[in-house]
Each structure stands twice: as structure tokens, then as C-alpha cells.
Amino acid sequence: TSQISFRDVSKVYQTASGSVTALKGINLDVKPGEIFAVIGYSGAGKSTLVRLINGLEKVTSGSVEVNGFDVTNMTEHQLRKVRPEIGMIFQQFNLMQSKTVYENIAYPLRLAKWSKADMKARITELLHFVGLTEKAWVHPDELSGGQKQRVGIARALATKPSVLLADESTSALDPETTQDVLGLLRRVNEKLGVTIVVITHEMEVVRAIADRVAVLDNGDLIEQGPVDQIFETP
Ligand code: ADP
Ligand code: ADP
């Protein structure tokens, strides 16, 4: 069984100057507990693929299932129930600059209407997990890039999602910090059992972390399989 499955998914954007086909007949399966990478050049369709998983975009044809639920035709109301199941981290971290680390992590819990006590316990646990207990009351501009992404990871995990989407989550970081963040993602996968989908244009990221990989090229999924089968090790 798959945790995420794409069946014959196509996505066409309508623009003022015509239509752009971002994905063409994509079939893919992400299995529970794996780290799955999607690699491709800029414009290949990677962001579109992620936005279809969390319901930010609708398919033009085909279907996308997450945890057995077809997210293709969900209303905004139904999607609000599925979103806490799916965490997301970003290249530019997307932290609220005017809020403390604590408040940034609290944000999705407030949306999900957690009680104050449950929220506090959960945030304490998350800060410990990402190693930022001492930074709870500082603002993001006082943190390094790696620390910011660790806050992003804590926020993404707050509602205990079964899936974490990482969209170019190390592209803004130097090589050493990238290794740190990838190490944390591996721990999220191993210790918390969270399935991770990593979107990247960097082969090193795929090699460092992924179990399986899909290669997107200009909207086509041209390969999908175990990393060592798809990419010969040098
Ligand atoms: P990637 O993440 O791999 O760079 P994207 O999914 O962002 O790829 O883009 C795939 C294609 O779809 C590109 O040609 C891009 O210009 C186009 N595209 C993406 N989002 C939109 C949009 N909202 N409206 C129109 N075209 C879009
Ligand atoms: P406000 O309503 O306070 O203006 P926004 O909705 O504009 O807040 O979001 C502010 C920041 O929080 C943005 O950087 C955004 O990426 C992030 N954010 C928005 N929605 C969520 C969410 N569901 N989970 C985590 N972070 C979110």
C-alpha cells in the first residue's frame, strides 16, 4: 500500500499568454516510512507536484491520494482536516519574523485549536527534539540558517503529521549546515516514523538521504526507483 499515490496526473496552468503543461500523466507511489526524493531542473514540475499533495493546487486530470484519501476533489473544508496530516518545510523557511520561535511553532497548533496546556507540552517536546530549547523566546532574525530550518521542521511536525514535504529545504544553506539538516530529517524519519518527500535539484541531497527517487523532466516522470538503481554510484 502507498501513503501517497499519483494516478495519471496531469496539470495544465491557464495563463494570459496560453496554457502551460506542468505535469504529464504522472504515476508515482510513496510508501509508508520511506524517504522519497523528487529531483529535476527548474521548471520540471516539482513544486506543482508538492502543491497537489497538500491540496494547494487541483489536478487537471487524474487523481492524488494521501493516506487513502483522494485529495483531488476535496473542498477547502475537507482539506482543512487533511492538512494537519501533512507538514511542510521551505527553502526560505517561511517563519514569521515578528513572532518568537515558540509562537512560530505554535501557529499550526493554534489553527488546529489545541488547548494551551497541550500546546505547551508539544512545543517543549519539539524544541528538545530539534535542539533549540534555549531559543524558544528569540526571534528568527537572531538565528542561523540551520537553526531557522530546525524551527521550520519543528513547526511542520507540530500537529504530528504522517508526511513531511521538504521543498528545496537545504538549498539556502551551506554544505555543512545542509548535512545537519539532512541528519535531522533522517532522525525525523527513523525516530518518529514520518514519511518524507524531498524535492530538490541537488543530486548530493538525493544520495545523502533518499531511499527511492523519481526523476522529473519537463513535466514527465522519466524514472522512479531505488537511488542506487537510478544513479550509478561513482
Ligand atoms: P519546479 O518546481 O520544478 O521549478 P514548477 O512546478 O514550479 O517546477 O513549474 C512547472 C511549470 O509550470 C513551469 O513551466 C512553470 O512556469 C509553470 N507554472 C508553475 N506554476 C504556475 C502558475 N501558478 N501559473 C502558470 N504557470 C505555472
Ligand atoms: P497572518 O494571518 O498572521 O498574516 P499568514 O497566513 O500570512 O499569517 O502566514 C504568516 C506566515 O506563516 C507565513 O510565512 C506562512 O508561510 C506561515 N504559515 C501560513 N500558514 C501556515 C501553516 N498552516 N503552518 C505553518 N506555517 C504557516
Side-chain angles (χ1 to χ4, degrees):
T1 66
S2 321
Q3 188 145 21
I4 301 172
S5 69
F6 278 59
R7 291 287 166 266
D8 302 318
V9 171
S10 292
K11 175 66 184 180
V12 180
Y13 292 104
Q14 301 301 336
T15 69
S17 52
S19 59
V20 179
T21 302
L23 294 174
K24 304 170 199 165
I26 302 294
N27 287 286
L28 72 76
D29 288 278
V30 178
K31 296 169 188 162
E34 74 175 342
I35 302 185
F36 189 92
V38 179
I39 191 169
Y41 296 113
S42 176
K46 304 185 296 298
S47 296
T48 300
L49 193 144
V50 172
R51 292 166 66 82
L52 291 173
I53 296 172
N54 62 16
L56 287 175
E57 290 285 353
K58 297 281 178 206
V59 300
T60 304
S61 61
S63 69
V64 177
E65 276 192 15
V66 180
N67 293 345
F69 293 99
D70 190 334
V71 295
T72 321
N73 296 306
M74 279 193 180
T75 62
E76 199 47 42
H77 179 75
Q78 291 169 314
L79 279 171
R80 267 200 287 275
K81 289 183 184 158
V82 177
R83 285 213 179 102
E85 274 296 307
I86 307 170
M88 182 146 177
I89 57 175
F90 308 87
Q91 177 168 6
Q92 295 303 334
F93 321 121
N94 289 18
L95 303 177
M96 294 180 276
Q97 300 303 321
S98 63
K99 306 276 191 195
T100 62
V101 165
Y102 187 97
E103 271 308 318
N104 269 279
I105 301 172
Y107 187 82
L109 298 175
R110 291 192 193 287
L111 286 182
K113 306 211 162 28
W114 282 43
S115 75
K116 224 174 178 154
D118 288 348
M119 204 178 331
K120 188 172 177 217
R122 180 64 179 150
I123 295 169
T124 302
E125 183 175 72
L126 287 159
L127 284 169
H128 180 73
F129 187 79
V130 302
L132 289 177
T133 302
E134 290 80 53
K135 301 288 185 186
W137 307 110
V138 311
H139 286 80
D141 61 3
E142 298 170 61
L143 299 176
S144 69
Q147 290 172 331
K148 284 180 196 164
Q149 194 57 293
R150 285 195 266 150
V151 176
I153 290 169
R155 179 181 62 184
L157 295 175
T159 56
K160 305 188 177 181
S162 54
V163 176
L164 177 64
L165 306 175
D167 190 358
E168 298 285 2
S169 56
T170 56
S171 301
L173 304 174
D174 62 52
E176 197 178 325
T177 312
T178 293
Q179 289 311 315
D180 267 15
V181 168
L182 293 179
L184 177 55
L185 290 179
R186 218 177 284 117
R187 213 148 55 77
V188 167
N189 176 254
E190 282 166 10
K191 300 248 193 269
L192 309 180
V194 175
T195 304
I196 303 183
V197 180
V198 172
I199 304 301
T200 185
H201 64 280
E202 293 172 297
M203 183 78 84
E204 304 77 67
V205 170
V206 176
R207 282 196 203 284
I209 198 174
D211 300 311
R212 292 194 308 131
V213 59
V215 183
L216 264 185
D217 181 33
N218 199 18
D220 287 311
L221 202 158
I222 57 177
E223 290 197 87
Q224 176 175 197
V227 175
D228 47 10
Q229 270 175 36
I230 303 287
F231 301 121
E232 230 176 287
T233 31

